[in-house]
Amino acid sequence: MFKNLTSTQIAFCLLLTLGLFSCKSTTDVSSNDVTIRLPNEPESLHPIFSKSIYATQIESLILLPIAEYDPFSMQLSPILITSIPSGEEISEGKHAGGKLFHLEFRPEAEWSDGTPVTGEDYLFTFKSVFNPYVNAEAWKNFMSYINEIEIDIADPKKVSVYLDSTYSLELESITNWNLYPAHVYDPEKLMSSFTLEELRDPTITWTAAQDSVLKRFATLYESPEYFRENVSGSGAYALDQWMTGEFIRLKRKQNWWGDKINDPPLLLQAYPSSITYRIILDEAAAEAAIKNGEIDLMADINASAFNRLRNNPEWKDKLNFDTPALMQVNYIEINHRNPILADVRVRKALAYAIDYDGILKNVMEGLATRATSPIHPDKSYYNAALEPINRDIQKSLDLLKEAGWEDTNNNGTPDKIINGKSEELHLEIKVTNKAEGMAISNIIKENAKEAGFDIALVIVDPSQIQQDVRQRNFDLLTIRIRAFPYVDDPYSVWHSDNDKQGGGNRSGFVSAALDEQIEKIRSTDDPAIQDAALKKFQEIIYQEQAGIFLYTPLERIVSSKRIQFKPSARRPGYFENLIKPAG
């Protein structure tokens, strides 16, 4: 999603000049053990199904993506393939008007057991996603423009991929996802009896035998075995041990194929001999751990703790403090299915009640800037014309009165008849026990109280909040959106198609005008049309206050001086495979 060097080779040379990383494919990793704090425990290490942002960073060290954005140049870099493909226009045949892309997997690329990475693995990953019984809605949306995949009979490392129509994220949909080994995740070859064309056809009627096979695969694929026990891929690291509630440890593979690559992309470099993720929910305990040398790095800590440590001379010579710009937007998710919040006047009233400056000053302590939309301000198509909402209690009161909310029973809280029933202006905001979210939620609660809102804080376990989100069991949530280096595609989160069970539209906000702009964004490769549609998309979200956007933060990373790394704007602000001993 961001702009930058035009060549990954330029990035490599710059890094060499700075002396931060070596472009050699071999390095001494025999005693480079790194320990990193995780604020929450992932529910799985199965990329198609995992929801945790903390799972993502671990998964990509085990199950490599085909291509990934370089942490610093933000250019798409070939990982499992020899080069980034260029699309060829198709003028005739069944794919006329579409594009053809040719992929070639690296000759060295292999799975953990030495089996080569081939087009069969590529096709299998697609088939697994489009199995009708596999809960992979987000991946289906992302890959839906791929119409056909052909594996070269003479060379299974070569694959042809066909798209029948224009898609703004065509390269990403073809290459920017974790590749699965077919022989590991489908040892019975259940998916081999189905074609991708059949699986993508929503009108097809399966025989009883076919239906049984599809269900069996889905059951096995989503079983605990593949969630955390049999996690296997082509990456430099293998899952060594996972102790629930304590740690996840990865070990670097011996004789890993990536070491054979000359001038490897940064994401094919692997310096630590082991990476241990210590699961420490409590920030005070995490702070004690880094002070005592029990962990080497912690990120995503609250601004107050970060500033207190950074400003303490005792730790100046013992710890490093980094604040890279983080590609993230923090906001309040609103459940539009709640009849109270379905009224735009109520949503606006809540937005006008919030003390944004107080949040930036007292919670983020200067380590964040205001946001007005789901699009990160560093994007070229960020709609800077949208004025940040400032606190205005009178406006909030006027909007509620206009919406028919009055305290008719004199209990101190406005009420209203909705669907024939008297409702109090009562809402719940769900939050985990993380300090930042708690502090923001308390401010919102107290701010909104002055306008008449009765908001209760409901503190839930991180795993429970994920379940509540899936079940749409919330009124308000403190949440964050990660930004990526490619053009934003809001389809999964904001389009009405995904306002369904298993869909990514958590808020239930439905707008024909918004759908129209999202479809424009997806169906064109003209940057001018995309930019205009993305700005209009933001304008609609803003006018409707479909969500209440708070700020874009800087990351807060504290690390031991025994290690060195270059901070990145990509979450989580560091790449653990590039961590080296200091010196």
Side-chain angles (χ1 to χ4, degrees), residues 2 85 91 163 212 233 340 351 375 379 393 417 464 492-493 553 567:
F2 305 163
S91 58
L163 284 77
S212 176
I340 295 174
I375 304 300
K379 296 299 188 73
I393 289 296
I417 301 297
Q464 179 60 46
S492 291
V493 175

Side-chain angles (χ1 to χ4, degrees), residues 84-92 94-103 122 145-152 158-166 170-171 174:
I84 300 298
S86 299
E88 302 172 9
E89 302 288 342
I90 304 173
S91 58
E92 57 185 24
K94 65 178 180 178
H95 300 294
K99 285 186 180 180
L100 168 62
F101 292 82
H102 296 289
L103 304 181
Y122 187 84
Y145 282 78
I146 310 300
N147 295 92
E148 186 176 359
I149 295 168
E150 288 182 349
I151 301 169
D152 191 322
K158 295 180 178 179
V159 179
S160 297
V161 185
Y162 295 87
L163 284 77
D164 281 354
S165 57
T166 300
E170 56 192 19
L171 265 180
I174 292 166

Side-chain angles (χ1 to χ4, degrees), residues 12 22-25 106 258 261-269:
F12 299 157
S22 168
C23 279
K24 293 180 180 179
S25 58
R106 292 183 186 272
I261 305 294
N262 290 322
D263 295 330
L266 292 179
L267 296 174
L268 273 185
Q269 298 177 31

Side-chain angles (χ1 to χ4, degrees), residues 360-396:
L360 292 182
K361 179 181 178 181
N362 300 318
V363 180
M364 299 310 297
E365 298 192 6
L367 295 172
T369 56
R370 283 293 306 275
T372 58
S373 83
I375 304 300
H376 195 279
D378 283 355
K379 296 299 188 73
S380 62
Y381 44 79
Y382 176 72
N383 194 334
L386 303 177
E387 290 286 337
I389 289 176
N390 292 313
R391 191 173 197 231
D392 187 334
I393 289 296
Q394 188 56 54
K395 194 160 189 174
S396 184

Side-chain angles (χ1 to χ4, degrees), residues 130 139-147 167 173 200 522:
F130 284 96
W139 281 55
K140 283 185 175 75
N141 290 335
F142 190 50
M143 296 173 159
S144 62
Y145 282 78
I146 310 300
N147 295 92
Y167 179 32
S173 68
R200 292 185 75 255
R522 302 192 96 205

